[in-house]
Amino acid sequence: MIHLDNRHVEWCIPLCEASRKDKKLTQDKLVASVAGFSAFLLAQPGVKQFPEIVALAFWFRKAHLQQLEQKLFAEKADNEVDKVFHIAPANVDTVFMYTLLLSVLCGNTNIVRISHRSGDITRQLVDFLHAYLKTPNGEVLAPFIGVVQYNAEHVDVTERLSKWCDLRVVWGGDAAIESVSRLAPETRQISFPDRYSVAVLQLNNEDDIERCANSFVSDVAPFTQQACSSPKALYWLNTNQALQERFWEKVGSAIVLSKHNFETIHKVEQHIALQYLSGCFAVELRDNIGKKLAEFAQVTNVGPIARCKVKTLTASILEAHGGNGLVLESDIASLEEIAYSAKLQTISYALPHGWQERSGQFKRAVPLGKALEFSPIWDGVDLLQSFSQ
């Protein structure tokens, strides 16, 4: 049992670690209980106002877990991991729950640290989980899950939890991960640092532009474009300007009907971000007809998001792009013009012949509209393997 300084730590969900030894759980019971949490979430009144939570619940539905179950059994024989410490990001509300529940399915005891800066959806999700653990179906999971909240300045708490665990999972920016990595450096760690993602489209007159627009909104709108897999830029591959304008008209219609959290402050951030990128990286802008250079940095509003066409995009520009609903556009004649780098996580695409293998550095390519769908292999890390060995 781990003891933490209660002056600095709030247990949102206390860990009942001692009771675990009294429970001889089968994998079937763990899978059934996690699937029960999925059903519990979907049954909550008003949950549909949180599409991120609905997506989470859908991912952990029973049918999907049954697809993972064989892999869980196969990899559990040599399990060396027993205790996992998760440090959740403050800007993407639900992602920590994916790694937490996958670790639970691997039979590990888990403590999650959430930030004081976490959003309302994170707190709502933790409340849902706490309520579920008190139900007959949920009490199966109670010995496997604890959730704490404390200020990141209390590094002694992070160090203590890091020494308690066998594996540390860290979500966050590069600087935050570097800081955590200096604590208990002997602890095994998997981390998910800063990344950027892009979309690439090639449209012709026969394409269903409305469907493409809806898919693009699905990738950009959730988490106010803060997720590492949300596209910050849109590459137009050999697509004429008229089709691009039709696409943006459809995006404008779709995004106002979507459930998003963009507010007035994000409009301000979009303008500031473009001025910053223009000033710091000498971004060459184009006006929105794509033919001549613009005289100064100015966004074009598309409902709550904004766009701006630039002459070229580099990895440095995209690494510095902070999200908040600003989409940089660029016309390209070849997929080789994409800003590939080790920091490029997801390429979401709508191309006539799908995605063909490329030599440039990136983590994955998915069809447009699937950028935010979670995978047990995330950012190149096989999570089930990491939680089981």
Side-chain angles (χ1 to χ4, degrees):
M1 177 70 89
I2 187 168
H3 297 283
L4 301 175
D5 188 338
N6 289 333
R7 293 173 301 171
H8 306 308
V9 174
E10 175 189 352
W11 282 95
C12 306
I13 299 178
L15 178 66
C16 305
E17 192 177 11
S19 62
R20 182 184 178 188
K21 294 180 179 178
D22 299 329
K23 297 179 180 294
K24 295 183 179 178
L25 293 173
T26 66
Q27 190 70 48
D28 288 344
K29 288 184 177 179
L30 284 175
V31 169
S33 189
V34 171
F37 181 51
S38 165
F40 179 85
L41 287 176
L42 293 174
Q44 298 307 303
V47 73
K48 290 185 178 178
Q49 67 180 302
F50 304 113
E52 299 91 341
I53 295 180
V54 173
L56 170 77
F58 186 73
W59 202 91
F60 282 99
R61 70 194 186 281
K62 186 175 181 179
H64 189 218
L65 292 182
Q66 287 173 335
Q67 296 173 21
L68 298 176
E69 201 168 6
Q70 185 175 6
K71 188 174 178 65
L72 293 173
F73 275 124
E75 294 186 348
K76 194 167 175 56
D78 298 323
N79 190 6
E80 295 180 356
V81 175
D82 184 55
K83 300 173 184 174
V84 181
F85 173 39
H86 307 252
I87 298 179
N91 60 343
V92 183
D93 300 287
T94 58
V95 70
F96 75 93
M97 192 62 75
Y98 288 90
T99 49
L100 167 62
L101 294 180
L102 284 178
S103 180
V104 167
L105 288 168
C106 292
N108 300 318
T109 301
N110 302 270
I111 295 178
V112 179
R113 179 256 172 181
I114 62 172
S115 167
H116 283 82
R117 298 182 293 111
S118 295
D120 293 340
I121 295 177
T122 294
R123 300 183 190 287
Q124 181 65 74
L125 189 55
V126 171
D127 288 344
F128 283 148
L129 178 60
H130 200 187
Y132 178 67
L133 296 182
K134 296 175 182 177
T135 67
N137 287 336
E139 65 180 7
V140 170
L141 301 182
F144 295 85
I145 297 173
V147 178
V148 296
Q149 176 178 280
Y150 62 88
N151 193 305
E153 294 177 354
H154 297 302
V155 293
D156 56 321
V157 179
T158 300
E159 184 171 27
R160 185 167 176 78
L161 287 166
S162 298
K163 290 180 176 178
W164 164 84
C165 71
D166 305 305
L167 176 68
R168 181 168 57 191
V169 181
V170 189
W171 295 86
D174 291 353
I177 288 176
E178 182 180 353
S179 178
V180 170
S181 298
R182 288 197 290 266
L183 303 171
E186 70 280 6
T187 300
R188 288 175 56 190
Q189 175 173 302
I190 54 177
S191 56
F192 301 97
D194 291 330
R195 293 283 187 263
Y196 68 85
S197 295
V198 301
V200 55
L201 274 71
Q202 184 175 15
L203 299 178
N204 56 53
N205 288 317
E206 290 72 39
D207 284 323
D208 186 342
I209 294 179
E210 183 172 5
R211 181 176 59 80
C212 288
N214 288 335
S215 296
F216 183 74
V217 169
S218 297
D219 287 346
V220 171
F223 312 114
T224 59
Q225 204 194 20
Q226 296 288 305
C228 57
S229 55
S230 298
K232 304 294 193 303
L234 170 56
Y235 289 98
W236 289 108
L237 177 63
N238 300 319
T239 299
N240 68 50
Q241 190 64 34
L243 288 174
Q244 294 180 27
E245 292 303 320
R246 284 174 56 190
F247 170 85
W248 283 116
E249 289 174 8
K250 297 295 184 183
V251 169
S253 300
I255 199 164
V256 296
L257 297 175
S258 68
K259 296 184 184 300
H260 63 77
N261 294 312
F262 289 111
E263 300 175 353
T264 303
I265 185 63
H266 294 105
K267 275 291 166 206
V268 177
E269 294 292 344
Q270 291 159 16
H271 286 275
I272 292 174
L274 185 58
Q275 304 307 321
Y276 170 76
L277 295 173
S278 302
C280 292
F281 298 93
V283 175
E284 291 186 77
L285 307 174
R286 288 190 179 278
D287 67 2
N288 291 318
I289 60 171
K291 292 180 180 178
K292 61 182 181 180
L293 295 179
E295 295 180 353
F296 61 96
Q298 185 173 13
V299 301
T300 299
N301 290 316
V302 185
I305 65 173
R307 62 185 173 108
C308 181
K309 183 164 283 188
V310 301
K311 186 176 181 181
T312 57
L313 285 167
T314 66
S316 296
I317 293 171
L318 293 169
E319 284 181 42
H321 187 321
N324 294 313
L326 174 63
V327 179
L328 300 177
E329 303 174 87
S330 185
D331 292 312
I332 58 174
S334 163
L335 293 176
E336 305 306 322
E337 296 179 51
I338 291 175
Y340 296 102
S341 84
K343 288 286 189 181
L344 175 53
Q345 193 212 51
T346 299
I347 301 172
S348 49
Y349 62 86
L351 301 170
H353 304 293
W355 183 260
Q356 308 296 321
E357 286 298 321
R358 298 283 158 186
S359 59
Q361 283 188 294
F362 64 100
K363 301 299 182 185
R364 64 174 188 155
V366 299
L368 194 69
K370 305 290 186 184
L372 300 183
E373 286 191 5
F374 197 77
S375 167
I377 299 177
W378 189 256
D379 207 29
V381 177
D382 188 329
L383 290 165
L384 292 177
Q385 185 178 62
S386 298
F387 290 143
S388 301
Q389 296 180 349

